[in-house]
Amino acid sequence: MRPILATIDTGAFRHNLSIVRSQAPQSRVMAVVKANGYGHGLLNAARGLSGAEGFAVLGVEEGLQLRKSGFRQTILMLEGVFAADELPQASRSDISIVVHHSTQIDMLERVALSKPLDVFVKMNNGMNRLGFKPELYAQAVRRLAACANVSRITLMTHFATADEAPGVNAPLAQFRRATEGLHYPVSLANSAAIFRHPETHADWIRAGIMLYGASAVAGTPASAYKLRPAMTLTSAIIAVQDIKPGESVGYGNRFTAAKNTRVGIVACGYADGYPRHAPNGTPVLVCGKPSATIGRVSMDMLFVDLTDIPEAGIGSPVELWGRHLPVDTVAEKAGTIGYELLCAVAPRVPVRVLENG
Ligand SMILES: *Cc1c(COP(=O)(O)O)cnc(C)c1O
């Protein structure tokens, strides 16, 4: 079998959840497990995070899968339903929905449900992705409050710049103004807001990336918050090439040796989710020692420089990211964020779950 492996550390989930909780002790935690649990496996993530009061997903199918697996917590569909026939499904399985658009209210008003749904009404505070504009918000909430298919209401928004300037002051003030007189629970904060803006904690926090042990804030490593990576992606060297000055490696000859160079070929490529745009010099660990990628990442393999790691050879262990090499460090070099790398881990990568890591 190819030596690539994603190891999921269940203990890291529990640890990270306790860190998140200590940041916002008054809030209930909605653990965001969309995108296959940020690439960790929906059920792996949900089991590790089963101490949370809720889970946030995208599709009704994920919600049903969580219910089938025995999870009794609040489950929230973050974009609500995409079609009216999902409403009875959500209702039967007690899945809460975001309502972000008047067409979703229309659906709720027309459908016949055996049990009313809990809804999270989303305001658009300048991100201009999903949600009601502030001036239309109270009206949407009143319409939902009058709808027989709606049970509990929670007020919600999402910040565009919780992790960077100009921060959350303006959208938060706008949210407060637009919800004056609406007495319902509130949910505002993603990971960056949880850690940087305590004034956003409210009734429900929606924690994603930091539960997986990666950072939501560029320039601040997850370790600064004592978070532990839940995923470690490893593989091994499957071939070694010794090349002379002037010789190149890989498609497009993107790396040409300036001196005698020992090149290791690693069983990991873009079809495993490793970013093809990772440049020469992207950090990798070989035998636990710092090395770097050279040449272009191919579909199933990538190249690393073994010149300064003479003990490395065929079979030597490689860590692409995780326990000893933050995914954010790799992501930054590759011009992206840890989120994207974690979510991109391909279904073909075998997963091992450590129960007591
Ligand atoms: C994905 C998502 C989150 C979680 O964001 P993180 O940055 O991963 O903590 C929270 N709220 C909404 C609406 C989301 O879509």
Side-chain angles (χ1 to χ4, degrees):
M1 204 163 76
R2 278 178 88 227
I4 191 165
L5 182 67
T7 301
I8 306 300
D9 175 358
T10 307
F13 282 126
R14 287 192 294 267
H15 169 82
N16 296 337
L17 178 58
S18 74
I19 299 270
V20 164
R21 226 183 248 299
S22 71
Q23 294 288 316
Q26 310 296 328
S27 308
R28 280 178 284 175
V29 179
M30 183 88 71
V32 182
V33 293
K34 65 193 178 190
N36 194 31
Y38 286 47
H40 296 63
L42 173 65
L43 294 180
N44 296 335
R47 286 182 187 126
L49 298 167
S50 59
E53 287 82 5
F55 293 113
V57 298
L58 230 48
V60 73
E61 304 77 13
E62 298 160 83
L64 297 178
Q65 203 182 337
L66 289 174
R67 284 282 179 256
K68 228 179 259 164
S69 305
F71 294 99
R72 311 282 295 274
Q73 290 95 328
T74 294
I75 296 176
L76 175 65
M77 291 173 67
L78 277 174
E79 299 176 9
V81 295
F82 300 92
D85 63 359
E86 296 170 5
L87 289 170
Q89 290 180 285
S91 159
R92 277 195 298 273
S93 295
D94 200 14
I95 294 170
S96 310
I97 56 170
V98 163
V99 173
H100 64 79
H101 197 275
S102 59
T103 56
Q104 291 178 324
I105 308 184
D106 298 342
M107 291 182 205
L108 272 166
E109 287 175 342
R110 287 189 199 124
V111 74
L113 299 179
S114 50
K115 207 167 37 158
L117 287 166
D118 289 346
V119 303
F120 283 59
V121 193
K122 192 162 189 184
M123 190 188 296
N124 167 18
N125 286 109
M127 185 157 177
N128 291 312
R129 198 171 59 176
L130 299 182
F132 299 93
K133 287 194 192 297
E135 61 272 24
L136 301 175
Y137 188 76
Q139 184 194 330
V141 171
R142 291 202 185 93
R143 224 180 125 192
L144 287 161
C147 177
N149 286 319
V150 171
S151 176
R152 282 176 296 188
I153 289 176
T154 301
L155 313 179
M156 167 183 178
T157 191
H158 189 56
F159 299 115
T161 54
D163 55 331
E164 59 190 319
V168 301
N169 287 347
L172 184 58
Q174 189 182 42
F175 179 86
R176 287 187 173 142
R177 270 197 310 277
T179 56
E180 249 167 52
L182 298 176
H183 300 291
Y184 298 102
V186 168
S187 176
L188 307 170
N190 60 0
S191 291
I194 293 164
F195 284 82
R196 298 186 70 220
H197 304 291
E199 69 276 22
T200 65
H201 288 168
D203 300 283
W204 279 105
I205 53 172
R206 303 187 306 272
I209 193 71
M210 282 172 147
L211 294 174
Y212 301 90
S215 179
V217 183
T220 307
S223 58
Y225 299 108
K226 303 206 161 18
L227 297 165
R228 255 166 58 192
M231 179 200 293
T232 298
L233 183 65
T234 55
S235 190
I237 306 284
I238 59 166
V240 176
Q241 304 284 349
D242 290 292
I243 63 171
K244 295 193 175 61
E247 292 189 309
S248 300
V249 299
Y251 291 117
N253 292 344
R254 230 179 30 148
F255 172 85
T256 301
K259 54 182 171 77
N260 287 334
T261 301
R262 244 178 118 232
V263 181
I265 320 302
V266 181
C268 175
Y270 61 77
D272 298 301
Y274 197 90
R276 182 174 176 277
H277 48 271
N280 291 331
T282 301
V284 173
L285 297 176
V286 180
C287 301
K289 295 192 172 162
S291 176
T293 64
I294 52 178
R296 198 171 263 163
V297 173
S298 16
M299 183 184 287
D300 307 314
M301 288 170 275
L302 57 79
F303 304 90
V304 293
D305 189 343
L306 300 182
T307 312
D308 296 329
I309 312 177
E311 70 271 35
I314 291 178
S316 291
V318 175
E319 180 172 321
L320 285 318
W321 63 65
R323 194 120 197 200
H324 308 98
L325 173 60
V327 68
D328 297 303
T329 307
V330 178
E332 193 182 341
K333 190 80 187 176
T336 182
I337 52 177
Y339 297 74
E340 189 182 12
L341 299 190
L342 295 173
C343 292
V345 171
R348 81 176 192 182
V349 175
V351 174
R352 183 179 59 162
V353 179
L354 284 186
E355 296 295 346
N356 292 305

